[in-house]
Amino acid sequence: NIKERTFIAIKPDGVQRGLVGDIIKRFEQRGYKLVAMKMVHADTKMLEEHYKDLAGKPFYAGLVKYMNSGPIVAMVWEGLQAVSTGRKLLGATNPLDSAPGTIRGDFCIQTGRNICHGSDAVDSAEREIALWFKKEELVQWDHHSAPWIYE
Ligand code: DAT
Ligand code: MG
């Protein structure tokens, strides 16, 4: 499905460290289409909802605090297997296990400061996109290189 969408976010550490451009570039140059983007300083309620599946984890409170510590850049990227390939572009959750060449493998060291988020499945991507974006914020446009990216 070349219309598959994933929710990608640059976390507060990625923003503070000046990595916004580098992270966007990885998705852009791979051929994915940006369909929504905004900078937002998310409140605790929003972040608790975003990470509700992790509510029982010992790191949950620290995770929400970290995500609330500054603005994030929230994005929706579209294209063939955007969800699973997006996760590959990000690298493993623990940056020490992330391969060099991935975003985490190139730019960070610890799980609790792993600079980016990506949806882990098509259904969670749909939930996260609906949580972070209004319908009208998802922009309909034609990627001029589509015929050069897809046969
Ligand atoms: P991912 O972000 O790769 O989908 P996840 O959904 O399991 O990973 O966890 C969400 C975030 O929570 C993760 O990016 C960083 C943080 N986290 C996960 N496991 C952690 C741990 N053991 N210690 C500290 N933070 C952790
Ligand atoms: Mg996750």
Side-chain angles (χ1 to χ4, degrees):
N1 173 15
I2 68 166
K3 294 279 182 197
E4 185 173 302
R5 289 176 170 182
T6 190
F7 175 72
I8 300 292
I10 304 169
K11 295 177 176 180
D13 46 348
V15 173
Q16 291 290 352
R17 294 181 52 207
L19 297 171
V20 171
D22 284 292
I23 293 169
I24 291 174
K25 189 175 177 66
R26 304 288 179 107
F27 284 85
E28 225 179 7
Q29 67 190 5
R30 187 69 187 261
Y32 287 109
K33 186 174 90 168
L34 183 63
V35 300
M37 178 165 69
K38 63 182 169 188
M39 193 175 207
V40 49
H41 193 147
D43 62 24
T44 301
K45 192 169 148 272
M46 181 71 160
L47 295 163
E48 285 172 350
E49 179 62 27
H50 174 76
Y51 280 126
K52 68 178 180 189
D53 295 350
L54 299 172
K57 304 281 184 190
F59 57 83
Y60 180 68
L63 173 63
V64 170
K65 193 173 171 213
Y66 152 55
M67 290 295 289
N68 172 247
S69 66
I72 69 166
V73 174
M75 300 175 280
V76 177
W77 288 91
E78 183 184 281
L80 191 63
Q81 280 185 31
V83 172
S84 63
T85 311
R87 297 275 293 185
K88 287 182 193 156
L89 290 174
L90 298 192
T93 302
N94 182 345
L96 294 177
D97 298 327
S98 306
T102 65
I103 291 165
R104 288 166 175 164
D106 286 348
F107 299 129
C108 56
I109 296 173
Q110 257 193 340
T111 305
R113 295 288 184 273
N114 66 2
I115 71 168
C116 50
H117 166 83
S119 308
D120 62 8
V122 173
D123 60 342
S124 51
E126 284 168 5
R127 180 184 81 85
E128 291 170 5
I129 291 166
L131 175 66
W132 289 93
F133 290 97
K134 297 178 197 139
K135 260 204 184 81
E136 58 270 27
E137 290 177 314
L138 302 169
V139 179
Q140 174 57 50
W141 64 290
D142 295 319
H143 200 268
H144 90 290
S145 358
W148 302 106
I149 294 167
Y150 301 110
E151 62 178 356

